[in-house]
Amino acid sequence: MSTVSGDISIRTFEGRRWLFPSAVIHELDPDAGPAGRRPRRTARDWLVDFSCFLLAVLLGVAAANTMRQDPNVSHGLAVADQLVGGLACAAVWLRRRWPTGLAVAMVPVGFVSDTAGGAAMVALFTLAVHRPFRHVAWIAGVNLALVPLFYWLRPDPDLPYLAVVILVVLFSLLVVSLGMFVRSKRQLMVSLRDRAGRAETEAGLRAERAQRLAREAIAREMHDVLAHRLTLLSVHAGALEFRPDAPREEIVRAAGIIRESAHEALQDLREIIGVLRAADGDEAGGRPQPTLAALDSLVAESRGAGMTVVLDNHVGDPAAVPASVGRTAYRIAQEGLTNARKHAPGAEVTVRVTGAPGDGLDITVHNPAPATEAPHVPGSGQGLIGLAERATLAGGRLDHRAVGDGGFEVRAWLPWAAAAPAAAPAE
């Protein structure tokens, strides 16, 4: 999250940092300035600070002119008032460092000095920009409460008492409202930045998850496609190794099966690599994905390799099975035959498929214990785990267990939705 936010901040401020207040830059990019120090003023800050100082001075000069025309104010009092007002205007440059302290100090200063009124308004505006509403409410409330008392003690020579009190109160409320508006605008900017950062982070996480799922899908597909071929190749190569004195016909037949299996495995690997190299939106060339209708070919291939396989298929129309469900069923049967060939060579394997629309599809691959000890065939042991994940992704379930006769059974159920009823003809 921090990395993404930092990248967004850098892109936001690059080339135009001077346009933003230093406080906003610090909020959006805390690492922009020295650690433990307040952010340095930007060109915009200097311009705004000078404008606030100039405004405070102009209001102070106007108040000083008004005092000179007031016969009730002595020359000494006017000089003292102007001296306090000048110090208050100079203190405006501290408004960013101590906004609360300056606003609190301006309450008594503004009460005793006419020429400090402009500086007091600038301090009140700064407080509303940089501090929460509860601070503004207390300090602004005290200021407003002192306004009637101030003009009662020092009436304005040009305006009636009630009019000047109302005008000053309204002007103070306007200053506070403007400061709160600036603060809310800055908070909105920070909130939008945070939302953009979270959105970019979530998009990156979604992309990473999609890549991970794609890698897992490719890994499952490679295992399902190549394990069958390579296991067949390994079994027949092992037979040639352990029976070098076998009849020539068997050796030629085994060598042919090894050559054909190696060719098919190479072709499958090329197809998978083609899928990996295909651009987004392109369709990789190659053979179509198998479905339940290809189960007969799988069994025939296994029988041709010397296995004894009984296919008990009670699905009348395999083409009616949805492609995704049929492909998953095919892979389950393929993995079951591969495992039976590795761990129970020579045993009769039964593949049973039943189901109907609305009831689901049941696939069972069963093999008894091998008649002789099976030679060791290397494997990762992840095939059944991958099949269970594939069945779960399809909305089904898969179980595997050892049966009482020393054999092994893989049983799976996959959803097969009922066909939608045909729409009634319009009358």
Side-chain angles (χ1 to χ4, degrees):
M1 178 66 181
S2 59
T3 303
V4 174
S5 302
D7 293 341
I8 294 176
S9 300
I10 291 173
R11 292 198 299 268
T12 302
F13 299 129
E14 186 176 0
R16 48 177 180 166
R17 184 180 291 265
W18 65 275
L19 289 173
F20 291 85
S22 57
V24 173
I25 294 178
H26 183 68
E27 285 287 339
L28 298 181
D29 191 7
D31 299 329
R37 297 179 58 185
R38 61 186 300 271
R40 299 177 59 182
R41 285 187 175 98
T42 63
R44 179 191 180 279
D45 289 342
W46 284 107
L47 179 61
V48 172
D49 288 349
F50 181 77
S51 300
C52 290
F53 172 74
L54 185 60
L55 177 62
V57 170
L58 292 177
L59 292 177
V61 170
N65 290 332
T66 302
M67 289 181 61
R68 281 198 296 267
Q69 299 172 7
D70 190 352
N72 298 323
V73 178
S74 64
H75 176 71
L77 181 60
V79 171
D81 191 294
Q82 294 172 18
L83 179 61
V84 174
L87 294 176
C89 291
V92 166
W93 290 99
L94 303 176
R95 68 189 190 92
R96 294 183 184 274
R97 185 182 294 271
W98 298 298
T100 304
L102 181 62
V104 172
M106 285 299 168
V107 173
V109 171
F111 184 75
V112 300
S113 173
D114 261 353
T115 54
M121 289 298 172
V122 171
L124 196 59
F125 170 79
T126 304
L127 181 70
V129 171
H130 294 280
R131 292 296 181 264
F133 177 73
R134 62 179 181 274
H135 298 95
V136 182
W138 279 104
I139 298 176
V142 173
N143 268 302
L144 295 178
L146 292 176
V147 169
L149 180 60
F150 177 85
Y151 285 101
W152 178 265
L153 298 175
R154 302 176 68 175
D156 189 277
D158 300 325
L159 294 175
Y161 171 77
L162 183 60
V164 71
V165 169
I166 293 176
L167 286 176
V168 173
V169 168
L170 291 179
F171 184 72
S172 301
L173 293 176
L174 178 63
V175 169
V176 171
S177 300
L178 184 60
M180 294 177 63
F181 171 75
V182 173
R183 176 178 173 81
S184 64
K185 186 178 179 181
R186 293 182 179 182
Q187 290 177 336
L188 177 62
M189 184 184 300
V190 174
S191 174
L192 292 177
R193 191 291 312 262
D194 291 339
R195 290 184 183 180
R198 285 195 298 269
E200 188 168 339
T201 301
E202 292 172 1
L205 293 176
R206 285 195 297 268
E208 292 178 2
R209 183 173 181 272
Q211 291 176 354
R212 178 173 57 81
L213 293 177
R215 287 194 295 266
E216 292 176 356
I218 291 171
R220 283 195 301 268
E221 195 68 20
M222 290 183 68
H223 179 275
D224 294 341
V225 170
L226 296 180
H228 181 74
R229 309 287 185 193
L230 297 180
T231 300
L232 186 62
L233 188 151
S234 178
V235 168
H236 285 279
L240 290 179
E241 180 183 2
F242 286 104
R243 293 192 58 191
D245 56 344
R248 176 180 176 82
E249 292 78 8
E250 291 187 12
I251 294 177
V252 171
R253 178 172 172 273
I257 293 175
I258 291 174
R259 179 186 59 80
E260 182 179 356
S261 297
H263 176 75
E264 293 290 338
L266 184 60
Q267 182 65 25
D268 292 335
L269 183 59
R270 286 173 178 168
E271 292 178 7
I272 294 174
I273 293 176
V275 172
L276 293 176
R277 289 178 176 174
D280 293 340
D282 297 339
E283 293 184 0
R287 292 171 293 181
Q289 290 291 319
T291 61
L292 191 64
L295 191 58
D296 292 334
S297 301
L298 176 65
V299 171
E301 180 183 2
S302 299
R303 288 171 179 167
M307 292 185 66
T308 304
V309 183
V310 176
L311 177 61
D312 188 11
N313 191 351
H314 293 275
V315 178
D317 185 10
V321 179
S324 59
V325 176
R327 180 166 58 254
T328 304
Y330 178 92
R331 295 304 187 195
I332 292 173
Q334 185 183 53
E335 180 66 21
L337 291 173
T338 300
N339 288 338
R341 185 184 298 116
K342 288 195 296 186
H343 305 296
E348 181 180 272
V349 184
T350 302
V351 180
R352 189 170 186 268
V353 183
T354 60
D359 296 333
L361 193 68
D362 289 287
I363 310 99
T364 303
V365 181
H366 172 269
N367 64 269
T372 59
E373 184 178 357
H376 175 71
V377 178
S380 64
Q382 301 298 316
L384 293 174
I385 297 176
L387 285 184
E389 293 178 355
R390 183 186 287 272
T392 302
L393 290 175
R397 57 183 179 272
L398 183 140
D399 300 315
H400 52 85
R401 60 188 179 90
V403 293
D405 57 357
F408 197 79
E409 182 177 87
V410 177
R411 182 186 297 272
W413 176 87
L414 301 173
W416 183 359
E427 296 183 359

